[in-house]
Amino acid sequence: MHDFLHTFFDRDELLKAFPSLLTEGLRNTLLIASLAIVLGVVLGVLLAMLLISEHRLVRLPARIYVDVFRGLPAILTVSLIGLGLPAAGIRPFGREPLGYAVLAIGLVSAAYSAEIFRSGIQAVAPGQLQAARSLGMGYLTAMRIVVVPQGVRNVLPALAGQFIIDIKESSLVYLLGLGMGQRELYFIAQEQQAASYNSSALVAAGACYLMLTVPLTYAVNRLDLRLRAGRLRPESPDSRDSLDAAAPVTVAVPTRKV
C-alpha cells in the first residue's frame, strides 16, 4: 500500500507538478482545444452543407474527407500533420508545433462535427425550407437563416460532447515536441514522470483534465434535458388556434421551442 501511494500520490511530486500544470499546461490545453473547436465547427458546417447536397459530385469529396478522418486514429493524424508536413517541406506555421497541433485536432474534429451537423440539419422538417423559399429567400439564404440554426439547436448536446473529446485529444500533441511555454497538461506531466520515475504528476494532470471535462459533461446533460423538455412541451390551445387562424393569410416559418 505504501508503494502504491508513493507511486501515484507522492506529496512532493504533486506539489512540484501542480504549479506548471495550472499555469502553463492548463492555459495551452485550453488554447489548443478552443482553436481546434473553432476550426472544427467552421469546417464541419461547410462539410455538412456539402454532404446534404443533391449532387453526387459535390457530396463525394466531403464524404471521402469525413470517412478518412473518422477512420484514422487521432494519434496517427496528429503525427502525419505535425511531423509529416514539415518533413515534406510544407510548413504553413514555420517551425512552431502549436499551429500544427491545432490543425491536426481541428481537422479530426471537423469530420465528426460534419456528421453531427448533417444529422441535425436533416432532422429539420422539409416544410421549413419550403416555407422560407415561398417567402422569396434563395436556397443558401434559407439554409443560413432558417434551416441551419434549427439544425444546430437539434444537436447542441452532441456538439458539446465533441468539444469535450477535443479537450482530451489535445493531449496527443505531446508527440510534436512542444517547447517551453507551449507545453500542455500531458506533456508537462509526462516530462516530470520520466525524470522522477513517479506517476504522481500524471495523476495531477488527470485531475486537471477532470476539472475541465466533468463540469462540461454535467452542463451537456443539463442542456440535453432542457432541449428534450422543450421538444416535449405541449402547445397551448390558444397558440394552436392563433396559428390556425393565421395560416390562410401568411406563410409562417416556425421555430422549435427550447
Side-chain angles (χ1 to χ4, degrees):
M1 186 64 178
H2 177 269
D3 290 341
F4 177 85
L5 294 176
H6 174 73
T7 300
F8 293 102
F9 299 99
D10 183 86
R11 179 183 175 184
D12 293 336
E13 293 296 328
L14 290 172
L15 292 176
K16 187 190 302 183
F18 270 118
S20 297
L21 290 172
L22 294 176
T23 55
E24 180 183 351
L26 192 61
R27 181 191 70 235
N28 289 322
T29 292
L30 288 174
L31 176 63
I32 294 170
S34 299
L35 294 176
I37 287 168
V38 172
L39 176 60
V41 167
V42 173
L43 188 55
V45 171
L46 295 177
L47 288 169
M49 297 295 292
L50 297 179
L51 288 172
I52 63 176
S53 172
E54 297 179 353
H55 302 285
R56 185 172 182 272
L57 292 179
V58 175
R59 295 195 309 268
L60 186 60
R63 175 50 58 192
I64 292 174
Y65 175 95
V66 170
D67 288 345
V68 168
F69 279 96
R70 290 182 71 189
L72 291 175
I75 192 171
L76 181 59
T77 302
V78 171
S79 298
L80 287 173
I81 293 176
L83 302 176
L85 288 184
I90 304 174
R91 301 185 178 94
F93 306 104
R95 298 185 179 276
E96 291 295 328
L98 195 63
Y100 298 98
V102 171
L103 178 62
I105 301 299
L107 291 178
V108 175
S109 178
Y112 288 92
S113 297
E115 283 296 327
I116 293 173
F117 285 125
R118 179 195 60 77
S119 64
I121 292 172
Q122 290 184 332
V124 177
Q128 300 288 306
L129 178 60
Q130 296 169 5
R133 295 297 300 274
S134 69
L135 292 175
M137 297 184 187
Y139 175 80
L140 293 179
T141 302
M143 291 294 292
R144 178 173 57 85
I145 295 178
V146 178
V147 179
V148 172
Q150 294 185 70
V152 171
R153 192 187 311 178
N154 290 338
V155 297
L156 278 178
L159 193 61
Q162 180 59 40
F163 295 166
I164 295 173
I165 294 174
D166 292 341
I167 291 175
K168 294 188 290 185
E169 287 188 344
S170 67
S171 63
L172 298 176
V173 304
Y174 82 95
L175 296 168
L176 308 185
L178 300 173
M180 292 296 295
Q182 296 181 331
R183 300 174 301 170
E184 43 74 44
L185 289 171
Y186 178 75
F187 195 100
I188 293 174
Q190 191 267 342
E191 278 189 331
Q192 184 170 326
Q193 191 270 344
S196 63
Y197 297 99
N198 188 286
S199 298
S200 298
L202 294 175
V203 173
C208 292
Y209 280 113
L210 291 176
M211 288 168 52
L212 297 175
T213 58
V214 171
L216 282 175
T217 300
Y218 280 96
V220 169
N221 292 337
R222 290 191 62 183
L223 177 62
D224 189 27
L225 290 174
R226 287 188 61 186
L227 291 176
R228 288 178 184 273
R231 295 189 188 104
L232 297 175
R233 187 183 303 137
E235 295 180 348
S236 65
D238 293 339
S239 63
R240 285 197 296 268
D241 293 341
S242 62
L243 287 176
D244 292 340
V249 181
T250 61
V251 179
V253 187
T255 57
R256 189 167 290 153
K257 293 183 179 180
V258 177

